[in-house]
Amino acid sequence: MAKASPRAPVPGPTFVRLLARLAQTDVSRPPPALSERLNQWFDWNRAIALSKALDGRLPEPPDSPDFDPAVAAECAQARTTLQDSIAGGLDAAPPRRISAAEREAHGGYAPYRQHCLAVQRAMQVSTGTLRGRLRDMLARQSPAKARLAEVDAVMEATLSPREHGLLATVPALLGVRFIALQDSQAPVPAAPAAGDDTDDTAPASASPWLAMFEQDLRSALLAELDVRFHPIEGLLAALRTR
């Protein structure tokens, strides 16, 4: 019997590789070059805004403030808080309050989907606030850094809608993973013995397949957190540079 050829490793960042594994996707060709993709994403309005940010004259900033280590500490604390919410928030039993329509649509995955969406919203709010504050600080340091802050603002306005659209697919991919593991590895429950008062609402996380899924969920959200913090790390590095 011929053996199936192993799936070729997916190139790219950890988050992309992880999502490709969850979706069981083969990537047979390299992705388009970044310049080619950006050319598709920038309409003429965004192109003009980027040109002004790169070439326009910016006002002189006030006296250059020194970098405050407390800013980096605040960013690190925000990241730690989000990491804790990812690692410690998986409590799907008893089920969270969900609507009948959602329960019908997503079944046992619904509490995990809610958790995933809540964490994504928290990441978006936290990183968006931090990114705006860091840009404001950068703009006060020097003309060159003010230009960098302006470029980052244009890039965020241009790329964020596409980023949000792509990240919105993560809960659906995890739902596919949940169903696949459930169908392939869920054990058949034994019939309860007579007089057995076992609570049928006991956590299902004892199932090996569910523990595996929860690990996949954590890994996906942690990898997404890394992606969302890339711009913040870049702005912090610029702030530290004299």
Side-chain angles (χ1 to χ4, degrees), residues 2 14 24 43 51 87 92 112 117 126 177 180 193 196 198 228 234-235 237:
T14 300
Q24 296 293 300
D43 57 22
S51 177
Y112 294 103
L117 292 173
S126 180
R177 176 67 168 169
D196 188 355
T198 301
R228 289 183 183 269
L235 291 171

Side-chain angles (χ1 to χ4, degrees), residues 4-52:
S5 58
R7 179 175 285 107
V10 176
T14 300
F15 189 43
V16 174
R17 297 198 305 270
L18 178 59
L19 294 182
R21 179 176 67 81
L22 294 178
Q24 296 293 300
T25 300
D26 285 317
V27 179
S28 58
R29 60 179 181 177
L34 178 60
S35 58
E36 179 183 344
R37 183 59 59 86
L38 289 176
N39 185 53
Q40 299 172 1
W41 290 351
F42 274 78
D43 57 22
W44 67 273
N45 286 318
R46 298 298 187 191
I48 291 175
L50 181 59
S51 177
K52 288 181 177 179

Side-chain angles (χ1 to χ4, degrees), residues 43-238:
D43 57 22
W44 67 273
N45 286 318
R46 298 298 187 191
I48 291 175
L50 181 59
S51 177
K52 288 181 177 179
L54 290 171
D55 302 326
R57 183 178 179 82
L58 295 173
E60 289 291 329
D63 292 339
S64 174
D66 293 330
F67 176 73
D68 186 356
V71 176
E74 182 181 351
C75 293
Q77 180 57 51
R79 183 166 188 162
T80 298
T81 299
L82 290 168
Q83 288 173 334
D84 290 344
S85 70
I86 292 170
L90 294 178
D91 182 15
R96 298 181 179 88
R97 294 179 180 177
I98 57 178
S99 66
E102 186 173 12
R103 186 179 295 107
E104 178 70 21
H106 302 285
Y109 174 59
Y112 294 103
R113 181 176 180 273
Q114 277 197 330
H115 172 70
C116 184
L117 292 173
V119 170
Q120 285 187 316
R121 284 192 294 269
M123 287 193 286
Q124 180 178 342
V125 171
S126 180
T127 56
T129 301
L130 289 174
R131 191 171 179 179
R133 287 185 57 197
L134 293 177
R135 276 201 303 264
D136 290 342
M137 297 175 63
L138 194 64
R140 294 193 296 267
Q141 284 195 338
S142 71
K145 291 185 178 183
R147 188 177 302 282
L148 178 59
E150 186 68 18
V151 169
D152 182 73
V154 174
M155 296 299 288
E156 182 181 20
T158 302
L159 302 182
S160 286
R162 293 185 178 275
E163 178 186 82
H164 295 163
L166 292 172
L167 293 177
T169 65
V170 172
L173 288 176
L174 287 167
V176 172
R177 176 67 168 169
F178 180 91
I179 294 172
L181 288 174
Q182 186 179 51
D183 290 345
S184 65
Q185 300 186 38
V188 178
D196 188 355
D197 296 330
T198 301
D199 184 2
D200 61 2
T201 63
S205 57
S207 302
W209 71 269
L210 192 52
M212 184 183 302
F213 169 76
E214 289 180 354
Q215 183 57 46
D216 285 338
L217 174 57
R218 291 189 186 96
S219 297
L221 290 175
L222 289 172
E224 179 177 334
L225 182 62
D226 286 341
V227 170
R228 289 183 183 269
F229 261 83
H230 284 167
I232 293 170
E233 292 168 354
L235 291 171
L236 283 172

